[in-house]
Amino acid sequence: EAQVTQNPRYLITVTGKKLTVTCSQNMNHEYMSWYRQDPGLGLRQIYYSMNVEVTDKGDVPEGYKVSRKEKRNFPLILESPSPNQTSLYFCASSPAGGPNYEQYFGPGTRLTVT
Amino acid sequence: KQEVTQIPAALSVPEGENLVLNCSFTDSAIYNLQWFRQDPGKGLTSLLLIQSSQREQTSGRLNASLDKSSGRSTLYIAASQPGDSATYLCAVKGAGSYQLTFGKGTKLSVIP
């Protein structure tokens, strides 16, 4: 089954403790992206990657890191999480950036930073 | 910078009614527009994608239209059912961009 998977689905952590949220897709997509969703603010893009070893900042990259060493994986790293990073995070992928390619989303990771 | 607005923020209708959800965007230079459905605590499910060269797309009881020059899209849901209750999001991909810009969504409740 074609899908985007994220792990963990739920995470509660403390301020400053480094964490990684994994994202993997099995559709051989070039493009992958991370979003966060907050009440009243909607979905905002954190980082995206157009292919292996090619990443760029989205609208809200501060406090996050990403890497794309393999085509299928795009982990999101929080080196020193803070309470304002408490949010619902989504990973997405797409075949490419063209007009007829839709984005597929993972199930989300709910992160709470205390 | 692209801005996407969805009105109303919430909508409640009795079962069986036809309804229209609205989406507007400020920059008409887009690649495509995508409508998603989000159930509480869940991920996003893609409903319809309209390329910038298209006027509408249909899938079952759903019909999405696009008027790029006026910066508007509508999602028409026919014969609404309680199972249609969810938040509906529209997102646009800018021309030459990999980025999706989302609206804040319309929360739909269909009352049995």
Side-chain angles (χ1 to χ4, degrees):
Chain A
E1 179 190 356
Q3 60 183 350
V4 179
T5 57
Q6 295 178 225
N7 282 292
R9 293 289 314 282
Y10 303 91
L11 179 60
I12 300 174
T13 190
V14 296
T15 298
K17 186 176 181 181
K18 181 180 178 179
L19 66 93
T20 299
V21 183
T22 65
C23 173
S24 183
Q25 50 92 6
N26 61 1
M27 296 170 279
N28 201 37
H29 287 171
E30 285 103 16
Y31 178 82
M32 298 185 74
S33 178
W34 276 102
Y35 297 85
R36 61 178 288 175
Q37 186 177 34
D38 302 289
L41 297 175
L43 274 135
R44 295 175 293 169
Q45 191 177 50
I46 303 170
Y47 268 96
Y48 63 94
S49 170
M50 291 166 283
N51 215 323
V52 175
E53 302 292 2
V54 181
T55 64
D56 207 350
K57 297 176 181 178
D59 294 323
V60 288
E62 296 78 20
Y64 304 94
K65 284 178 57 178
V66 292
S67 68
R68 188 90 181 273
K69 298 190 188 316
E70 305 168 282
K71 198 172 188 179
R72 63 182 292 129
N73 296 323
F74 190 45
L76 179 70
I77 303 160
L78 285 72
E79 295 266 1
S80 183
S82 63
N84 65 11
Q85 293 178 299
T86 292
S87 187
L88 181 58
Y89 291 86
F90 289 102
C91 181
S93 73
S94 171
N100 56 332
Y101 292 127
E102 62 186 282
Q103 288 203 15
Y104 297 84
F105 280 74
T109 295
R110 186 166 293 282
L111 172 65
T112 302
V113 184
T114 62
Chain B
K1 182 182 176 183
Q2 180 75 268
E3 292 183 4
V4 180
T5 303
Q6 291 185 248
I7 295 173
L11 180 64
S12 184
V13 301
E15 181 177 2
E17 281 215 350
N18 303 325
L19 60 100
V20 173
L21 306 181
N22 297 296
C23 173
S24 62
F25 47 95
T26 55
D27 186 349
S28 61
I30 65 170
Y31 254 165
N32 63 41
L33 184 145
Q34 200 168 349
W35 282 94
F36 294 89
R37 169 186 172 136
Q38 185 176 24
D39 294 286
K42 300 286 182 66
L44 278 68
T45 301
S46 179
L47 298 173
L48 290 163
L49 179 142
I50 311 178
Q51 297 177 40
S52 61
S53 59
Q54 297 175 324
R55 297 284 292 182
E56 65 179 285
Q57 282 283 346
T58 298
S59 176
R61 294 183 295 110
L62 306 179
N63 176 276
S65 68
L66 175 64
D67 184 342
K68 198 173 71 165
S69 61
S70 68
R72 293 181 182 179
S73 176
T74 62
L75 179 67
Y76 174 83
I77 302 177
S80 58
Q81 303 170 358
D84 295 329
S85 298
T87 296
Y88 290 80
L89 299 162
C90 75
V92 298
K93 179 185 284 188
S97 168
Y98 288 85
Q99 192 168 5
L100 274 184
T101 303
F102 281 83
K104 294 180 181 178
T106 294
K107 185 176 181 180
L108 173 66
S109 299
V110 181
I111 312 300

